[in-house]
Amino acid sequence: MVSITDYNAVRELAGQVRTNVCKVIVGKEDLIDKLFIALVTAGHVLLQDVPGTGKTLLAKTLAKSVDCEFKRVQFTPDLLPSDLSGIYYFNPKSSEFAFRPGPLFTHILLADEINRATPRTQSSLLECMEERQISIDGVTHALENPFMVIATQNPLEQQGTFPLPEAQLDRFLFRLSMGYPSREESVTILKRFKDDEPLKELKAVAPTEKLLQARQAAARVYVSDEVLNYMVELAERTRKDDVVSSGVSPRGCQALLKAVQVEAILQGRDFVTPDDIKRLASPVWAHRLQLRGTVRTREGAGAAEEVIARAIRDTTVPAEGTAAL
């Protein structure tokens, strides 16, 4: 059994990461916590926002805070799968074929503007995102642990882009948005970056070993049958909604379960409550819903979030006290 001190250590680790990232990133504490949840649960994150909001800087800052190797790849239409995975080449000195690993062999990969690459290149990420391995010329190579893809895309530009297929979207734990800063936050950003680059002075506060220990602790957070049934009923309601052509998959339920286990720890509990599910259902599930064409066109990006909100409103919450042991 995991003691409460282990959960406290996870919560303290999250606080250290949040504080450290906030030395560079201004006013995104909730977003940083979700990135921490993704790291602990071995999840991936899709950052969807307009250019210039700090998506790349956030990924770099997170990687440096947790002492993880970081690589960035600019996705373009001419990017090939081998540009990500690496290649076997003939070494004339040894007269043998040798493997040159690509940028996938890292802890945190920033797939910048992922929707600019062709579907062929996008699909090359499917195996590594799901199985943490990559197969090249019949040889399977294990990736680093932890391994996380942070992908970005600009929702405003459509020309020269290739929308992510459903199978690709389903492999992202969260779809998040940076959003524009408030006026006060904008002033703080200008002051912070006026004379120096704060990322240069940033030090790591969370060794990768602690992240792996946090993953083991989070997996033991208690989830009652009532809470599990509540989650499944929410998922089923998304599948039956009139505006949805494809609802939340079993993988989506598993992703939400892992996420709320870490969320419970961050909230100071060793068990999951329905409120944890309500908080994370939209960022975990909204991008997994496939809406009918007329609804998607008419109501825009907020339609999926509304489906989930409607499911939450219409589903009976388990009685108080059933969530805990």
Side-chain angles (χ1 to χ4, degrees), residues 264-322:
I265 295 178
L266 300 188
Q267 296 296 325
R269 285 178 275 100
D270 59 356
F271 59 91
V272 174
T273 69
D275 285 339
D276 297 324
I277 294 173
K278 291 178 182 179
R279 275 192 298 272
L280 295 187
S282 186
V284 174
W285 281 354
H287 61 284
R288 303 171 191 269
L289 298 183
Q290 299 302 311
L291 305 182
R292 302 190 187 281
T294 55
V295 176
R296 184 171 60 248
T297 303
R298 183 177 68 250
E299 300 183 23
E305 284 78 0
E306 177 55 33
V307 169
I308 296 171
R310 186 159 56 242
I312 291 174
R313 287 196 304 266
D314 296 342
T315 303
T316 303
V317 179
E320 186 176 355
T322 60

Side-chain angles (χ1 to χ4, degrees), residues 2 17 22 27 38 43 63 77 86 101 105 161 202 255 268-269 273:
V2 177
V17 172
C22 284
F105 291 85
T161 63
L202 202 69
R269 285 178 275 100
T273 69

Side-chain angles (χ1 to χ4, degrees), residues 207-266:
T208 54
E209 294 79 7
K210 287 191 175 182
L211 291 174
L212 299 180
Q213 292 170 4
R215 183 178 301 174
Q216 294 176 351
R220 293 172 172 82
V221 170
Y222 177 74
V223 188
S224 69
D225 289 345
E226 289 79 8
V227 171
L228 289 176
N229 282 319
Y230 176 67
M231 183 189 306
V232 170
E233 186 174 354
L234 288 176
E236 289 177 344
R237 284 187 180 273
T238 67
R239 300 165 191 165
K240 298 174 182 178
D241 196 292
D242 293 338
V243 304
V244 176
S245 60
S246 178
V248 174
S249 67
R251 181 190 286 134
C253 290
Q254 294 172 357
L256 182 57
L257 175 59
K258 292 180 179 180
V260 295
Q261 284 180 297
V262 183
E263 174 69 9
I265 295 178
L266 300 188

